[in-house]
Amino acid sequence: MGHLTNSILISAPPQQIWAILSDVTRLPEWSYKEGRFPYPVEGRYGSEQTEGEGTLWVGIATDGQQATQKITVWEPPHKLAYEQQSSENAPLQISQTSTFSLEPTGDQTQITWSVDWELGGGFSLNRLLLWFTGSSAFEAMIAGSLENLKTLVEAEFPPADPGE
């Protein structure tokens, strides 16, 4: 099993970050697009429920992969976690749990994203290559996505000018 964690400071209160982070339709806006993994081009809800534990998120990637995640922790505006439930059209099955923690620090918020992942299925060359290179690719994806989220939040909710 792999485990990765990355953090970033965002110049916004947790509520403003939560507004974007907890809305699956906004996922394509901040997802990292430069890596070697397909990235989401659409985010939608998998049922009528749009918030709280048990909410289903569906992400459609550039290559047609469809991943469904289930919200397992919903503590606005401080903690959000989801587990991957299924992945359609994926060359490899990966189970993963993502956890986002938002901690205010003065006029900023530290957001930490932790991912636990494990490859499923039997032996294959793709599985072996992903096992050896997956951590660095996941690290780039997490770091790039957090940078994108920072840029998006700070553009949408610009910090107040201290002279005002």
Side-chain angles (χ1 to χ4, degrees), residues 18 20 32 51 64 66-67 87 94 99 115 128 138-139 150:
W18 183 268
I20 293 171
Y32 185 59
E51 61 182 41
Q66 180 173 310
S87 184
I94 300 175
T99 303
V115 179
L128 186 62
F138 281 140
E139 285 171 357
K150 175 183 173 71

Side-chain angles (χ1 to χ4, degrees), residues 60-116:
I60 311 296
T62 54
D63 65 350
Q65 290 185 46
Q66 180 173 310
T68 301
Q69 290 90 16
K70 182 178 182 180
I71 303 297
T72 57
V73 177
W74 182 274
E75 298 172 7
H78 300 290
K79 192 169 186 181
L80 174 71
Y82 57 80
E83 293 177 353
Q84 186 160 317
Q85 299 295 295
S86 66
S87 184
E88 297 175 22
N89 305 321
L92 290 173
Q93 293 300 310
I94 300 175
S95 63
Q96 70 178 39
T97 300
S98 287
T99 303
F100 295 88
S101 298
L102 291 78
E103 294 296 327
T105 59
D107 60 351
Q108 297 182 312
T109 299
Q110 180 173 326
I111 181 167
T112 301
W113 184 0
S114 298
V115 179
D116 292 301

